[in-house]
Amino acid sequence: MPIETAVPIRAADRQEFYDLDFEMMRHALEIHSEYGGVLEEAIYKNELTLRCNAVGLNMEREVLVRVRHGGFTKDYRIDLLMKRGVIVEGKTAERIVPAHRGQTANYLMLADIRFGSLINFQGPSAKREFVTALQDLEERRRFEVSTARWPRDEQHAKLHDIAIAFARDIGLSLDAPLYRSAFTFLLGGIAMNPAKVPIYSANVVLGVFAELSGPRGEGGVKL
């Protein structure tokens, strides 16, 4: 399987999701009422896990999801997984921003789940947003390729083949760093010895910076 999970994950339907979310959010609000909104993120998530498990909601923490393609692997960890069918992402932030929603949607797509919750514990009250993954794995594997403006050299041809194979296996729409990491690895970048680039101030070497993109020849960076 191109996407592996440490535990079996199923997709809760809409009604089950709302029922489970309602119960979970009741506990989240109680925790915020008792502890306030100034603690560290992990404390809220640990306490929410304890309370949900005490009433049979089966909440699991830091559930591993691994993307695998060829020799490339990348690990993600889902904040909270309830009844192995509902993903809950917890934050302590000034406000929920698009990056938080994107991260939650990314976990939903990795787990092939449609519905999830994003909770922010900071502030005068715990606030929750619903997040929906608009595409499942099979939908993310359906795409068209245009090469009209694609360069014709050998390296670009190799990148083209790698990108198509990866997208057909893993699908599109996941977070951009995943694709950058995968393509770099599959093109041989990570396997190459890091290029050691000296950093100069006038004629004095301040230190050496090791790049992961492969050798770039002689030279250095001057400040």
Side-chain angles (χ1 to χ4, degrees):
M1 293 293 291
I3 301 176
E4 305 165 357
T5 57
V7 299
I9 296 180
R10 61 184 181 81
D13 63 29
R14 188 184 297 270
Q15 188 57 55
E16 183 186 10
F17 165 74
Y18 284 135
D19 291 343
L20 291 172
D21 178 83
F22 178 82
E23 288 300 314
M24 178 276 300
M25 195 59 195
R26 181 169 62 84
H27 293 290
L29 290 169
E30 288 176 354
I31 291 168
H32 190 281
S33 177
E34 293 175 25
Y35 290 94
V38 297
L39 300 180
E40 293 182 0
E41 184 177 296
I43 295 174
Y44 294 108
K45 291 186 283 193
N46 289 339
E47 179 65 9
L48 182 59
T49 299
L50 290 173
R51 296 196 186 197
C52 286
N53 286 338
V55 295
L57 290 179
N58 186 24
M59 186 76 83
E60 295 171 87
R61 289 272 284 119
E62 299 293 326
V63 176
L64 174 67
V65 179
R66 174 167 292 159
V67 176
R68 187 189 300 276
H69 178 84
F72 170 80
T73 61
K74 184 174 177 63
D75 291 349
Y76 295 87
R77 292 193 179 272
I78 296 171
D79 258 5
L80 300 161
L81 179 65
M82 183 166 50
K83 288 280 188 178
R84 295 191 172 175
V86 173
I87 286 176
V88 180
E89 184 73 10
K91 298 294 180 187
T92 50
E94 184 177 340
R95 64 183 183 281
I96 292 176
V97 298
H100 299 147
R101 301 181 187 100
Q103 181 185 36
T104 307
N106 189 62
Y107 292 156
L108 291 174
M109 289 187 286
L110 285 168
D112 213 13
I113 289 178
R114 286 285 188 179
F115 312 110
S117 292
L118 174 59
I119 303 175
N120 186 17
F121 286 96
Q122 185 171 309
S125 178
K127 295 183 178 179
R128 180 254 286 109
E129 290 189 8
F130 295 128
V131 180
T132 303
L134 300 179
Q135 297 176 311
D136 62 23
L137 178 58
E138 290 309 310
E139 290 171 322
R140 292 190 292 105
R141 282 172 167 164
R142 292 198 291 266
F143 56 88
E144 297 180 357
V145 179
S146 174
T147 59
R149 301 176 63 184
W150 193 257
R152 303 292 182 178
D153 60 273
E154 183 179 345
Q155 280 297 96
H156 280 90
K158 184 178 180 181
L159 174 59
H160 170 272
D161 293 343
I162 286 171
I164 297 301
F166 189 83
R168 285 177 176 160
D169 195 20
I170 308 299
L172 299 176
S173 301
L174 297 172
D175 66 321
L178 169 64
Y179 299 98
R180 288 196 293 267
S181 298
F183 297 166
T184 299
F185 176 89
L186 295 168
L187 283 167
I190 299 301
M192 300 167 71
N193 292 327
K196 295 182 179 180
V197 180
I199 307 298
Y200 293 96
S201 177
N203 293 321
V204 178
V205 177
L206 300 177
V208 175
F209 174 74
E211 294 185 322
L212 289 178
S213 55
R216 296 195 177 191
E218 299 297 327
V221 177
K222 293 186 177 181
L223 302 179

